[in-house]
Coordinates of all heavy atoms in Angstrom, one line a residue:
M244 N 205.7 21.3 -36.4 CA 205.4 22.5 -37.1 C 205.3 23.6 -36.0 O 204.7 23.5 -35.0 CB 204.1 22.3 -37.8 CG 203.7 23.6 -38.5 SD 202.1 23.4 -39.4 CE 201.0 24.2 -38.3
A245 N 205.9 24.8 -36.4 CA 205.7 25.9 -35.6 C 204.3 26.3 -35.5 O 203.6 26.3 -36.5 CB 206.6 27.1 -36.1
K246 N 203.8 26.7 -34.4 CA 202.4 27.0 -34.2 C 202.1 28.5 -33.8 O 201.0 29.0 -34.0 CB 201.8 26.2 -33.0 CG 201.8 24.7 -33.3 CD 200.7 24.4 -34.3 CE 200.5 22.9 -34.4 NZ 199.5 22.5 -35.4
Q247 N 203.1 29.2 -33.4 CA 203.0 30.6 -33.0 C 203.9 31.5 -33.8 O 205.0 31.0 -34.3 CB 203.4 30.7 -31.5 CG 202.6 29.8 -30.6 CD 201.1 30.0 -30.6 OE1 200.6 31.2 -30.7 NE2 200.3 29.0 -30.5
A248 N 203.5 32.7 -34.0 CA 204.4 33.7 -34.8 C 204.2 35.1 -34.3 O 203.3 35.4 -33.5 CB 204.0 33.6 -36.3
L249 N 205.1 35.9 -34.7 CA 205.0 37.4 -34.5 C 205.3 38.1 -35.8 O 206.1 37.7 -36.6 CB 206.1 37.8 -33.5 CG 206.0 37.2 -32.0 CD1 207.3 37.6 -31.3 CD2 204.8 37.8 -31.3
W250 N 204.6 39.3 -35.9 CA 204.9 40.2 -37.0 C 205.0 41.6 -36.5 O 204.2 42.0 -35.7 CB 203.7 40.1 -38.0 CG 203.8 41.2 -39.1 CD1 202.9 42.3 -39.1 CD2 204.7 41.3 -40.1 NE1 203.3 43.1 -40.2 CE2 204.4 42.5 -40.8 CE3 205.8 40.6 -40.5 CZ2 205.1 43.0 -41.9 CZ3 206.5 41.0 -41.6 CH2 206.2 42.2 -42.3
V251 N 206.0 42.3 -37.0 CA 206.2 43.7 -36.6 C 206.5 44.5 -37.9 O 207.4 44.2 -38.6 CB 207.4 43.8 -35.6 CG1 207.6 45.3 -35.2 CG2 207.3 42.9 -34.4
M252 N 205.6 45.5 -38.1 CA 205.8 46.4 -39.3 C 206.7 47.5 -38.8 O 206.5 48.1 -37.7 CB 204.5 46.9 -39.7 CG 204.6 47.9 -40.9 SD 205.1 47.2 -42.4 CE 203.5 46.4 -42.9
L253 N 207.7 47.9 -39.7 CA 208.6 48.9 -39.3 C 208.7 50.0 -40.5 O 209.0 49.6 -41.6 CB 210.0 48.3 -39.1 CG 210.1 47.2 -38.0 CD1 211.4 46.5 -38.1 CD2 209.8 47.8 -36.6
K254 N 208.5 51.2 -40.1 CA 208.6 52.3 -41.1 C 209.8 53.2 -40.8 O 209.9 53.7 -39.7 CB 207.3 53.1 -41.2 CG 207.4 54.2 -42.3 CD 206.0 54.9 -42.4 CE 206.1 55.9 -43.5 NZ 204.9 56.7 -43.6
A255 N 210.7 53.2 -41.7 CA 212.0 54.0 -41.5 C 211.8 55.5 -41.4 O 211.0 56.0 -42.1 CB 213.0 53.7 -42.6
K256 N 212.5 56.1 -40.5 CA 212.6 57.5 -40.5 C 213.5 57.9 -41.7 O 214.4 57.1 -42.1 CB 213.3 58.1 -39.2 CG 212.3 58.0 -38.0 CD 213.0 58.7 -36.8 CE 212.0 58.8 -35.7 NZ 212.6 59.5 -34.5
P257 N 213.3 59.0 -42.3 CA 214.1 59.4 -43.5 C 215.6 59.3 -43.2 O 216.0 59.8 -42.2 CB 213.6 60.9 -43.7 CG 212.2 60.9 -43.2 CD 212.3 60.0 -42.0
G258 N 216.3 58.7 -44.1 CA 217.7 58.6 -44.0 C 218.2 57.5 -43.1 O 219.4 57.3 -42.9
K259 N 217.3 56.7 -42.5 CA 217.7 55.6 -41.5 C 217.7 54.2 -42.2 O 217.9 53.3 -41.5 CB 216.8 55.7 -40.3 CG 216.9 56.9 -39.5 CD 218.2 57.1 -38.8 CE 218.3 58.3 -37.9 NZ 219.5 58.3 -37.1
E260 N 217.4 54.1 -43.4 CA 217.2 52.8 -44.1 C 218.5 51.9 -43.9 O 218.4 50.8 -43.6 CB 216.9 53.0 -45.6 CG 215.6 53.7 -45.8 CD 215.6 55.2 -45.8 OE1 216.7 55.8 -45.5 OE2 214.5 55.8 -46.0
Q261 N 219.7 52.5 -44.2 CA 220.9 51.7 -44.0 C 221.1 51.2 -42.6 O 221.4 50.0 -42.4 CB 222.1 52.5 -44.5 CG 223.4 51.6 -44.5 CD 223.3 50.5 -45.5 OE1 222.7 50.5 -46.5 NE2 223.9 49.4 -45.1
E262 N 220.8 52.0 -41.6 CA 221.0 51.6 -40.2 C 220.0 50.5 -39.9 O 220.3 49.6 -39.2 CB 220.7 52.8 -39.3 CG 221.9 53.8 -39.2 CD 221.5 54.9 -38.2 OE1 221.4 54.6 -37.0 OE2 221.4 56.0 -38.7
I263 N 218.8 50.6 -40.4 CA 217.8 49.6 -40.2 C 218.2 48.2 -40.8 O 218.1 47.2 -40.2 CB 216.4 50.0 -40.7 CG1 215.8 51.1 -39.9 CG2 215.4 48.8 -40.8 CD1 214.6 51.8 -40.4
E264 N 218.7 48.3 -42.0 CA 219.2 47.0 -42.6 C 220.3 46.4 -41.8 O 220.3 45.2 -41.7 CB 219.5 47.3 -44.1 CG 218.2 47.6 -44.9 CD 218.5 47.8 -46.3 OE1 219.5 47.4 -46.9 OE2 217.6 48.5 -46.9
V265 N 221.2 47.2 -41.3 CA 222.3 46.6 -40.4 C 221.7 46.1 -39.2 O 222.0 45.0 -38.7 CB 223.3 47.7 -40.1 CG1 224.3 47.3 -39.0 CG2 224.1 48.1 -41.4
F266 N 220.7 46.8 -38.6 CA 220.1 46.4 -37.4 C 219.4 45.0 -37.6 O 219.5 44.1 -36.8 CB 219.1 47.4 -36.9 CG 218.2 47.1 -35.8 CD1 218.8 47.1 -34.5 CD2 216.9 46.7 -35.9 CE1 218.0 46.7 -33.4 CE2 216.1 46.4 -34.8 CZ 216.7 46.4 -33.6
L267 N 218.7 44.9 -38.7 CA 218.0 43.6 -39.0 C 219.0 42.4 -39.2 O 218.7 41.3 -38.8 CB 217.1 43.7 -40.2 CG 215.8 44.7 -40.0 CD1 215.1 44.8 -41.3 CD2 214.9 44.1 -38.9
N268 N 220.1 42.7 -39.8 CA 221.1 41.7 -39.9 C 221.6 41.2 -38.6 O 221.9 40.1 -38.3 CB 222.2 42.1 -40.9 CG 221.9 41.9 -42.3 OD1 221.7 40.8 -42.7 ND2 221.8 43.0 -43.1
Q269 N 221.8 42.2 -37.7 CA 222.2 41.9 -36.3 C 221.2 41.1 -35.6 O 221.5 40.1 -34.8 CB 222.5 43.2 -35.5 CG 223.7 43.9 -36.0 CD 223.9 45.3 -35.4 OE1 222.9 45.9 -34.9 NE2 225.1 45.8 -35.5
G270 N 219.9 41.4 -35.9 CA 218.8 40.6 -35.3 C 218.9 39.1 -35.7 O 218.6 38.3 -34.9
A271 N 219.2 38.9 -36.9 CA 219.3 37.5 -37.4 C 220.4 36.8 -36.6 O 220.2 35.6 -36.3 CB 219.6 37.5 -38.9
S272 N 221.5 37.4 -36.4 CA 222.6 36.8 -35.6 C 222.1 36.5 -34.2 O 222.4 35.4 -33.6 CB 223.8 37.7 -35.6 OG 224.3 37.9 -36.9
L273 N 221.4 37.5 -33.6 CA 220.9 37.2 -32.2 C 219.9 36.1 -32.2 O 219.9 35.3 -31.2 CB 220.3 38.5 -31.7 CG 221.2 39.7 -31.3 CD1 220.4 40.9 -31.0 CD2 222.1 39.3 -30.2
A274 N 219.1 36.0 -33.2 CA 218.1 34.9 -33.3 C 218.8 33.5 -33.2 O 218.2 32.5 -32.7 CB 217.2 35.0 -34.5
N275 N 220.0 33.4 -33.8 CA 220.7 32.1 -33.8 C 221.0 31.7 -32.3 O 221.2 30.5 -32.1 CB 222.0 32.2 -34.5 CG 221.8 32.3 -36.0 OD1 220.8 31.7 -36.5 ND2 222.6 33.0 -36.7
D276 N 221.0 32.6 -31.4 CA 221.2 32.2 -30.0 C 220.0 31.9 -29.2 O 220.0 31.7 -28.0 CB 222.0 33.4 -29.3 CG 223.4 33.6 -29.9 OD1 224.0 32.6 -30.4 OD2 223.9 34.7 -29.8
E277 N 218.8 31.9 -29.9 CA 217.6 31.7 -29.2 C 217.1 30.3 -29.7 O 216.5 30.2 -30.8 CB 216.5 32.7 -29.6 CG 216.8 34.1 -29.1 CD 215.7 35.1 -29.4 OE1 214.8 34.8 -30.2 OE2 215.8 36.2 -28.8
P278 N 217.3 29.2 -28.9 CA 216.9 27.9 -29.4 C 215.4 27.7 -29.6 O 215.0 26.8 -30.4 CB 217.4 27.0 -28.2 CG 217.6 27.9 -27.1 CD 217.9 29.3 -27.6
E279 N 214.6 28.5 -28.9 CA 213.1 28.4 -29.1 C 212.6 29.2 -30.2 O 211.4 29.1 -30.5 CB 212.5 28.7 -27.8 CG 212.8 27.7 -26.7 CD 212.1 28.0 -25.4 OE1 210.9 28.1 -25.4 OE2 212.8 28.1 -24.3
T280 N 213.4 30.0 -30.9 CA 213.0 30.7 -32.1 C 213.2 29.8 -33.3 O 214.4 29.5 -33.6 CB 213.7 32.0 -32.3 OG1 213.4 32.8 -31.1 CG2 213.3 32.8 -33.5
V281 N 212.1 29.3 -33.9 CA 212.3 28.4 -35.1 C 212.8 29.1 -36.3 O 213.8 28.7 -36.9 CB 210.9 27.7 -35.4 CG1 211.0 26.8 -36.6 CG2 210.4 26.9 -34.1
T282 N 212.1 30.2 -36.7 CA 212.6 31.0 -37.8 C 212.5 32.5 -37.5 O 211.7 32.9 -36.6 CB 211.8 30.7 -39.1 OG1 210.4 31.1 -38.8 CG2 211.9 29.3 -39.5
W283 N 213.4 33.3 -38.1 CA 213.4 34.7 -37.9 C 213.7 35.4 -39.2 O 214.7 35.0 -39.8 CB 214.4 35.1 -36.8 CG 214.4 36.5 -36.3 CD1 213.7 36.9 -35.2 CD2 215.0 37.6 -37.0 NE1 213.9 38.3 -35.1 CE2 214.6 38.8 -36.2 CE3 215.7 37.8 -38.1 CZ2 215.0 40.0 -36.5 CZ3 216.1 39.1 -38.4 CH2 215.8 40.2 -37.6
Y284 N 212.9 36.3 -39.6 CA 213.1 37.0 -40.9 C 213.0 38.5 -40.7 O 212.1 39.0 -40.1 CB 212.0 36.6 -41.9 CG 211.9 35.1 -42.2 CD1 211.0 34.3 -41.5 CD2 212.7 34.6 -43.2 CE1 210.9 33.0 -41.8 CE2 212.6 33.2 -43.5 CZ 211.7 32.4 -42.8 OH 211.6 31.1 -43.0
G285 N 214.0 39.1 -41.2 CA 214.0 40.6 -41.3 C 213.7 40.9 -42.8 O 214.5 40.4 -43.6
V286 N 212.7 41.6 -43.1 CA 212.3 41.8 -44.6 C 212.2 43.2 -44.9 O 211.9 44.1 -44.1 CB 211.0 41.0 -44.9 CG1 211.1 39.6 -44.6 CG2 209.8 41.6 -44.1
K287 N 212.4 43.5 -46.2 CA 212.2 44.8 -46.8 C 211.0 44.7 -47.7 O 210.9 43.9 -48.6 CB 213.4 45.3 -47.6 CG 213.3 46.7 -48.1 CD 214.5 47.1 -48.8 CE 214.4 48.6 -49.3 NZ 215.7 49.0 -49.9
L288 N 209.9 45.5 -47.4 CA 208.7 45.5 -48.2 C 208.7 46.4 -49.3 O 207.9 46.3 -50.3 CB 207.5 45.8 -47.3 CG 207.4 44.8 -46.1 CD1 206.4 45.3 -45.1 CD2 207.0 43.4 -46.5
G289 N 209.5 47.5 -49.2 CA 209.6 48.5 -50.3 C 210.4 49.6 -49.7 O 211.0 49.5 -48.6
P290 N 210.5 50.7 -50.4 CA 211.3 51.9 -49.9 C 210.9 52.3 -48.5 O 209.7 52.7 -48.3 CB 211.1 53.0 -51.0 CG 210.7 52.2 -52.2 CD 209.9 51.0 -51.7
G291 N 211.8 52.2 -47.6 CA 211.5 52.7 -46.2 C 210.6 51.8 -45.4 O 210.3 52.1 -44.3
M292 N 210.1 50.7 -45.9 CA 209.2 49.8 -45.2 C 209.9 48.4 -44.9 O 210.3 47.8 -45.9 CB 207.9 49.6 -46.0 CG 207.1 50.8 -46.2 SD 206.5 51.6 -44.7 CE 205.5 50.3 -44.1
Y293 N 209.9 48.0 -43.7 CA 210.5 46.8 -43.3 C 209.6 46.0 -42.3 O 208.5 46.6 -41.9 CB 211.8 47.1 -42.5 CG 212.8 47.8 -43.4 CD1 212.8 49.2 -43.5 CD2 213.7 47.1 -44.1 CE1 213.7 49.9 -44.3 CE2 214.7 47.8 -44.9 CZ 214.6 49.2 -45.0 OH 215.5 49.8 -45.8
G294 N 210.0 44.8 -42.0 CA 209.2 44.0 -41.1 C 210.0 42.9 -40.5 O 211.1 42.6 -41.0
V295 N 209.5 42.4 -39.4 CA 210.1 41.2 -38.8 C 209.0 40.1 -38.6 O 207.9 40.5 -38.2 CB 210.8 41.5 -37.4 CG1 211.3 40.3 -36.7 CG2 211.9 42.5 -37.6
F296 N 209.3 38.9 -39.1 CA 208.4 37.8 -38.9 C 209.2 36.7 -38.3 O 210.3 36.3 -38.8 CB 207.8 37.4 -40.3 CG 206.9 36.2 -40.2 CD1 205.7 36.3 -39.7 CD2 207.4 34.9 -40.6 CE1 204.8 35.2 -39.6 CE2 206.6 33.8 -40.5 CZ 205.3 33.9 -40.0
D297 N 208.7 36.1 -37.2 CA 209.4 35.0 -36.6 C 208.4 33.9 -36.1 O 207.2 34.3 -35.9 CB 210.3 35.4 -35.5 CG 209.9 36.6 -34.7 OD1 208.7 37.0 -34.7 OD2 210.8 37.2 -34.1
T298 N 208.9 32.7 -36.0 CA 208.0 31.6 -35.6 C 208.5 30.8 -34.4 O 209.7 30.8 -34.2 CB 207.7 30.6 -36.8 OG1 209.0 30.0 -37.1 CG2 207.2 31.3 -38.0
F299 N 207.6 30.1 -33.7 CA 207.9 29.4 -32.5 C 207.0 28.2 -32.4 O 205.9 28.2 -32.9 CB 207.6 30.3 -31.3 CG 208.2 31.7 -31.5 CD1 207.5 32.7 -32.1 CD2 209.5 32.0 -31.1 CE1 208.0 34.0 -32.3 CE2 210.1 33.2 -31.3 CZ 209.3 34.2 -31.9
N300 N 207.5 27.2 -31.7 CA 206.8 25.9 -31.6 C 205.6 26.1 -30.6 O 204.6 25.4 -30.7 CB 207.7 24.8 -31.1 CG 208.6 24.3 -32.2 OD1 208.2 24.3 -33.4 ND2 209.8 23.9 -31.9
D301 N 205.8 27.0 -29.6 CA 204.7 27.1 -28.6 C 204.8 28.5 -28.0 O 205.7 29.3 -28.3 CB 204.9 26.0 -27.5 CG 206.3 26.0 -26.9 OD1 206.9 27.1 -26.8 OD2 206.7 24.9 -26.5
E302 N 203.8 28.8 -27.1 CA 203.7 30.1 -26.5 C 204.9 30.4 -25.6 O 205.4 31.5 -25.5 CB 202.4 30.1 -25.7 CG 202.1 31.5 -25.2 CD 201.7 32.5 -26.3 OE1 201.0 32.0 -27.3 OE2 202.1 33.6 -26.2
A303 N 205.5 29.4 -25.0 CA 206.7 29.6 -24.1 C 207.9 30.1 -24.9 O 208.6 31.0 -24.5 CB 207.0 28.3 -23.4
G304 N 208.0 29.5 -26.1 CA 209.1 30.0 -27.0 C 208.9 31.4 -27.4 O 209.8 32.2 -27.5
R305 N 207.7 31.8 -27.8 CA 207.4 33.1 -28.2 C 207.6 34.1 -27.0 O 208.1 35.2 -27.2 CB 205.9 33.2 -28.7 CG 205.6 34.6 -29.2 CD 204.3 34.6 -30.1 NE 203.1 34.2 -29.4 CZ 202.0 34.0 -30.0 NH1 201.8 34.3 -31.3 NH2 200.9 33.6 -29.3
D306 N 207.1 33.7 -25.8 CA 207.3 34.6 -24.7 C 208.8 34.8 -24.4 O 209.2 35.9 -24.0 CB 206.6 34.0 -23.5 CG 205.1 34.1 -23.5 OD1 204.6 34.9 -24.4 OD2 204.4 33.4 -22.8
A307 N 209.6 33.7 -24.5 CA 211.0 33.9 -24.3 C 211.6 34.9 -25.2 O 212.5 35.7 -24.9 CB 211.7 32.5 -24.4
H308 N 211.2 34.8 -26.5 CA 211.7 35.7 -27.5 C 211.3 37.2 -27.2 O 212.1 38.1 -27.3 CB 211.2 35.3 -28.9 CG 211.6 36.3 -30.0 ND1 212.8 36.3 -30.5 CD2 210.8 37.2 -30.6 CE1 212.9 37.3 -31.4 NE2 211.7 37.8 -31.5
L309 N 210.1 37.4 -26.7 CA 209.6 38.7 -26.4 C 210.3 39.4 -25.2 O 210.2 40.6 -25.1 CB 208.1 38.7 -26.2 CG 207.2 38.5 -27.4 CD1 205.8 38.2 -27.1 CD2 207.4 39.7 -28.4
T310 N 210.9 38.6 -24.4 CA 211.7 39.1 -23.3 C 213.2 39.0 -23.5 O 214.0 39.3 -22.6 CB 211.3 38.4 -22.0 OG1 211.6 37.0 -22.1 CG2 209.9 38.6 -21.6
G311 N 213.6 38.6 -24.7 CA 215.0 38.4 -25.1 C 215.7 39.7 -25.6 O 215.1 40.8 -25.6
E312 N 216.9 39.4 -26.1 CA 217.8 40.5 -26.5 C 217.3 41.2 -27.7 O 217.5 42.4 -27.9 CB 219.2 40.0 -26.7 CG 219.9 39.5 -25.4 CD 219.9 40.6 -24.4 OE1 220.3 41.7 -24.6 OE2 219.5 40.3 -23.2
I313 N 216.7 40.5 -28.7 CA 216.2 41.2 -29.9 C 215.1 42.2 -29.6 O 215.1 43.3 -30.0 CB 215.7 40.1 -30.9 CG1 216.9 39.2 -31.4 CG2 215.1 40.8 -32.1 CD1 216.4 38.0 -32.2
A314 N 214.1 41.7 -28.8 CA 213.0 42.6 -28.4 C 213.5 43.8 -27.6 O 213.1 45.0 -27.9 CB 212.0 41.9 -27.6
K315 N 214.5 43.6 -26.7 CA 215.1 44.8 -26.0 C 215.8 45.7 -26.9 O 215.6 47.0 -26.8 CB 216.1 44.3 -24.9 CG 215.4 43.5 -23.8 CD 216.4 43.0 -22.9 CE 215.8 42.1 -21.8 NZ 216.8 41.3 -21.0
A316 N 216.5 45.2 -27.9 CA 217.2 46.1 -28.9 C 216.2 46.8 -29.7 O 216.4 48.0 -30.0 CB 218.2 45.2 -29.7
L317 N 215.2 46.2 -30.2 CA 214.2 46.8 -31.0 C 213.5 48.0 -30.3 O 213.4 49.1 -30.8 CB 213.1 45.8 -31.4 CG 211.9 46.4 -32.2 CD1 212.4 46.9 -33.5 CD2 210.8 45.3 -32.4
M318 N 213.1 47.8 -29.0 CA 212.5 48.9 -28.3 C 213.5 50.0 -28.0 O 213.1 51.2 -28.0 CB 211.9 48.3 -27.0 CG 210.7 47.4 -27.3 SD 209.6 48.1 -28.6 CE 208.2 47.1 -28.5
A319 N 214.7 49.7 -27.8 CA 215.7 50.7 -27.5 C 216.0 51.5 -28.7 O 216.2 52.8 -28.6 CB 217.0 50.0 -27.0
K320 N 216.1 50.9 -29.9 CA 216.4 51.6 -31.1 C 215.2 52.3 -31.8 O 215.3 53.2 -32.6 CB 217.0 50.6 -32.1 CG 218.4 50.1 -31.8 CD 219.4 51.1 -32.2 CE 220.8 50.6 -32.1 NZ 221.7 51.5 -32.6
A321 N 214.0 51.9 -31.4 CA 212.8 52.3 -32.1 C 212.7 53.8 -32.2 O 212.4 54.3 -33.4 CB 211.5 51.7 -31.4
P322 N 212.9 54.6 -31.2 CA 212.7 56.1 -31.3 C 213.7 56.7 -32.4 O 213.3 57.7 -33.0 CB 213.0 56.6 -29.9 CG 212.8 55.5 -29.0 CD 213.2 54.2 -29.8
D323 N 214.9 56.1 -32.5 CA 215.8 56.7 -33.4 C 215.6 56.3 -34.9 O 216.0 57.0 -35.8 CB 217.3 56.3 -33.0 CG 217.6 56.9 -31.7 OD1 217.2 58.0 -31.3 OD2 218.4 56.2 -30.9
L324 N 215.1 55.0 -35.1 CA 215.1 54.5 -36.4 C 213.7 54.5 -37.1 O 213.7 54.6 -38.3 CB 215.6 53.0 -36.4 CG 217.0 52.7 -35.9 CD1 217.3 51.2 -35.9 CD2 218.0 53.5 -36.8
F325 N 212.7 54.4 -36.3 CA 211.3 54.2 -36.9 C 210.4 55.3 -36.7 O 210.3 55.9 -35.6 CB 210.7 52.9 -36.4 CG 211.7 51.7 -36.5 CD1 212.2 51.1 -35.4 CD2 212.1 51.2 -37.7 CE1 213.1 50.1 -35.5 CE2 213.0 50.2 -37.9 CZ 213.5 49.6 -36.7
S326 N 209.6 55.6 -37.7 CA 208.6 56.7 -37.6 C 207.2 56.2 -37.1 O 206.4 57.0 -36.8 CB 208.4 57.4 -39.0 OG 207.9 56.5 -39.9
N327 N 207.0 54.9 -37.1 CA 205.7 54.3 -36.7 C 205.8 53.8 -35.2 O 206.9 53.5 -34.8 CB 205.2 53.2 -37.6 CG 206.2 52.0 -37.6 OD1 207.4 52.1 -37.7 ND2 205.6 50.8 -37.5
E328 N 204.7 53.7 -34.6 CA 204.6 53.1 -33.3 C 204.8 51.6 -33.5 O 204.3 51.0 -34.4 CB 203.2 53.3 -32.7 CG 203.1 52.7 -31.3 CD 201.7 52.8 -30.8 OE1 200.9 53.7 -31.3 OE2 201.3 52.1 -29.8
I329 N 205.7 51.0 -32.7 CA 206.0 49.6 -32.8 C 204.9 48.8 -32.2 O 204.6 48.9 -31.0 CB 207.4 49.3 -32.2 CG1 208.5 50.1 -32.8 CG2 207.7 47.8 -32.3 CD1 208.7 50.0 -34.2
K330 N 204.3 48.0 -33.0 CA 203.2 47.1 -32.5 C 203.6 45.7 -32.9 O 203.7 45.4 -34.1 CB 201.9 47.5 -33.2 CG 200.7 46.7 -32.6 CD 199.4 47.3 -33.1 CE 198.3 46.4 -32.4 NZ 197.0 46.6 -33.0
I331 N 203.7 44.9 -31.9 CA 204.0 43.5 -32.1 C 202.7 42.7 -32.2 O 202.0 42.6 -31.2 CB 204.9 42.9 -31.0 CG1 206.2 43.8 -31.0 CG2 205.2 41.5 -31.2 CD1 207.1 43.5 -29.8
E332 N 202.5 42.1 -33.4 CA 201.3 41.3 -33.6 C 201.6 39.8 -33.3 O 202.5 39.2 -33.9 CB 200.8 41.5 -35.1 CG 200.6 42.9 -35.5 CD 199.3 43.5 -35.0 OE1 198.5 42.7 -34.4 OE2 199.1 44.7 -35.1
R333 N 200.8 39.2 -32.5 CA 200.8 37.8 -32.2 C 199.9 37.1 -33.2 O 198.8 37.5 -33.4 CB 200.4 37.5 -30.8 CG 201.3 38.1 -29.7 CD 200.7 37.9 -28.3 NE 201.6 38.4 -27.3 CZ 202.3 37.6 -26.5 NH1 202.1 36.3 -26.5 NH2 203.1 38.1 -25.6
M334 N 200.4 36.0 -33.8 CA 199.7 35.2 -34.7 C 199.7 33.7 -34.4 O 200.7 33.3 -33.8 CB 200.2 35.5 -36.1 CG 200.1 36.9 -36.6 SD 200.6 37.0 -38.3 CE 202.4 37.1 -38.1
E335 N 198.7 33.0 -34.8 CA 198.7 31.6 -34.7 C 198.9 31.0 -36.1 O 198.1 31.4 -37.1 CB 197.4 31.1 -34.1 CG 197.3 29.6 -33.9 CD 196.1 29.2 -33.2 OE1 195.4 30.0 -32.6 OE2 195.7 28.0 -33.3
I336 N 199.8 30.1 -36.3 CA 200.0 29.5 -37.6 C 199.0 28.4 -37.8 O 199.0 27.4 -37.0 CB 201.4 29.0 -37.8 CG1 202.4 30.2 -37.7 CG2 201.6 28.3 -39.1 CD1 203.9 29.8 -37.6
L337 N 198.2 28.5 -38.9 CA 197.2 27.4 -39.1 C 197.7 26.4 -40.1 O 197.3 25.2 -40.0 CB 195.9 28.1 -39.7 CG 195.3 29.1 -38.8 CD1 194.1 29.8 -39.5 CD2 194.9 28.5 -37.5
A338 N 198.6 26.8 -41.0 CA 199.1 25.8 -42.0 C 200.4 26.3 -42.5 O 200.7 27.5 -42.5 CB 198.1 25.7 -43.2
S339 N 201.3 25.4 -42.9 CA 202.6 25.7 -43.5 C 203.1 24.5 -44.3 O 202.5 23.4 -44.2 CB 203.6 26.0 -42.3 OG 203.9 24.8 -41.6
K340 N 204.1 24.8 -45.1 CA 204.7 23.8 -45.9 C 206.1 23.6 -45.5 O 206.8 24.5 -45.2 CB 204.6 24.2 -47.4 CG 205.3 23.1 -48.2 CD 205.3 23.6 -49.7 CE 206.1 22.6 -50.5 NZ 206.3 23.0 -51.8

């Protein structure tokens, strides 16, 4: 069972919603190249509100992801796409099905 997770809330700048959805789809493709990333989800919460949730078996896998290509792309694109400060929340998974 995956024990570690990350959550990132993303608020779109006006008119950037389509670009964000393309960006999140690209993130899913990049996650396929990360063997230590168990699951990766790009989600739409509502108009202009998005998020990323991903899981890892251990801290080493999570750390590898945080220094990988997806994290680099997110930080590079953040000023152009998102109106909120990007805050990556580390979580511990207590239970899952």
Side-chain angles (χ1 to χ4, degrees):
M244 178 180 103
K246 296 285 188 183
Q247 306 298 322
L249 295 171
W250 168 251
V251 183
M252 177 71 74
L253 305 167
K254 184 175 180 184
K256 285 187 173 181
K259 296 293 184 171
E260 294 84 359
Q261 184 61 37
E262 284 182 65
I263 290 170
E264 291 181 23
V265 168
F266 176 75
L267 291 176
N268 277 297
Q269 292 169 341
S272 295
L273 289 172
N275 287 327
D276 296 331
E277 294 184 349
E279 295 184 50
T280 300
V281 176
T282 60
W283 190 96
Y284 301 94
V286 299
K287 183 175 183 177
L288 302 167
M292 295 298 297
Y293 298 88
V295 174
F296 177 75
D297 31 21
T298 65
F299 313 89
N300 287 326
D301 54 31
E302 192 67 40
R305 183 163 62 183
D306 287 343
H308 177 72
L309 288 170
T310 60
E312 294 305 310
I313 297 172
K315 290 175 189 172
L317 176 63
M318 293 313 190
K320 292 277 194 176
D323 296 329
L324 297 178
F325 309 113
S326 63
N327 64 312
E328 178 183 347
I329 302 302
K330 185 172 181 196
I331 300 172
E332 302 285 350
R333 293 173 179 250
M334 297 183 280
E335 183 177 343
I336 299 171
L337 300 178
S339 69
K340 177 181 173 189

